[in-house]
Amino acid sequence: MTAIRDMSQSRKAAASGWIGSALEYYDFFIYATAASLIFPQIFFPSENPTVAIVASLATYGVGYVARPIGAFVLGHWGDTHGRKTVLIVCMFLMGISTMAVGILPTYQQVGILAPILLVVLRLVQGFAVAGEISGASSMILEHAPFGRRGFYASFALQGVQAGQILAAAIFLPLAAYMPTEAFNSWGWRIPFLLSFFVIVAGYIIRREVDETPAFAQEGERGQTPRSPIVQAIKLSWRDMLRVICMALMNVIPVVATIFGAAYAVQPAYGIGFAKDVYLWIPVLGNMLAIFVIPFVGNLSDKVGRKPPIIVGALLSGVLAFAYLYAISIRNVPLAILVSLLMWGVVYQGYNAIFPSFYPELFPTRTRVSAMAISQNIGTTITALLPALFATVAPPGSANIPLTVGAIAFGITVIAALAAVTARETYRVSIDDLGNPEAVPMPRADYERQRADAASAAAAVRA
């Protein structure tokens, strides 16, 4: 009965992480899509189109500015009150703030108050999402069967990709079939108002998962820290620094879905991709990623976490050049093909692995705090990039693919070097995670125990 219950909780945790991440990142990315496609016109009107684009993309970045603050608060909550509780809090904050964006007045209606309110709500969004991946990854990891942490934790990021598909899929029919005037006035609000269902669905799903055994044991032993953030910084600052650098890989989705959208669609750049055509590029890339992620997660349980991250970082950085070049020559089929390679396949070498690799670098008592803080600092840095890209490569400038691509590649090199210096974790016992002196289990013993665990899981299913 215990084996059956454990396997049931492993699956519930993975499903909760998948669905919760999908719903929360649907909320987060519909804002990103709107910031590229419509917000420059309705919240930041300007005689200078470059100013409007930069201002709109900067509000996208504001959401990331709030993420380190959310990471400190929600990470502390997750390490002191439990993974389950913090995930439910994140869901409510994200859903309510996103719904509120859908009822905001425009600049033409209330003037400067409109972008101010937009920025405030984006700050709440950023605060809320800061605890999602660290909390979901830790919950799945701590519930996962032996030797399957990489595979199970990858479902948290598979959910993120699904959320991005859903965000774009909601906008696709609206942008394609609604008259421009109707879309600009009220059609864009529909995806935001649908967040009501995020709140309801997220709560129903997450209340069914038990707290993790690892966290419960910390509480039973009286080892739940009063100040997990202080402990994390004191004991794990080197690994936190590595995570910050590896999290700079967020530059690839920034290039693919944020700056790439503005470059392809905004009239000032003169490329002229139709909005509905461009929206298919990240949709198709993410659809492919959904299939690639569990494969890579499973691979990391066999060969380790570091090789996929290093290869994924370097190759996706190289492909950023080709992706932007395809947009610059107005070649839609080529842009889609390179997107499928860069975003859908190669980038997933990093994306599928970090939900297991990051929390494995830290001990149970500070896991959520350490991962949340360091990951969100890294992604916050990359959130400044859309506005930077639009500034250093504004409409009318030459060599936009080379300029932006070079910055992106340089950042991916930093991420790869951080992974090179990190210790391998996939054969380390869950009780020893976060201990720099921990000795990985011998490969033969690890493979034998993985096989035993798989046989037990198969017996439970039968």
Side-chain angles (χ1 to χ4, degrees), residues 243-268:
V243 171
I244 289 171
C245 292
M246 285 188 282
L248 297 176
M249 278 298 297
N250 194 55
V251 66
I252 296 300
V254 165
V255 168
T257 63
I258 308 303
F259 179 78
Y263 183 36
V265 170
Q266 286 298 322

Side-chain angles (χ1 to χ4, degrees), residues 373-411:
I373 292 167
S374 48
Q375 183 208 0
N376 282 291
I377 289 175
T379 52
T380 297
I381 294 170
T382 63
L384 304 174
L385 293 176
L388 173 64
F389 290 158
T391 301
V392 301
S397 62
N399 299 320
I400 290 176
L402 184 62
T403 301
V404 175
I407 297 172
F409 179 69
I411 291 171

Side-chain angles (χ1 to χ4, degrees), residues 277-300:
V277 171
Y278 181 79
L279 281 170
W280 275 108
I281 293 178
V283 167
L284 293 174
N286 283 323
M287 288 175 67
L288 180 57
I290 281 181
F291 294 99
V292 173
I293 283 174
F295 171 81
V296 178
N298 187 54
L299 179 67
S300 77

Side-chain angles (χ1 to χ4, degrees), residues 341-360:
L341 289 174
M342 177 186 72
W343 173 260
V345 179
V346 177
Y347 174 72
Q348 303 313 318
Y350 160 79
N351 205 38
I353 306 304
F354 88 76
S356 55
F357 192 40
Y358 288 1
E360 285 176 340

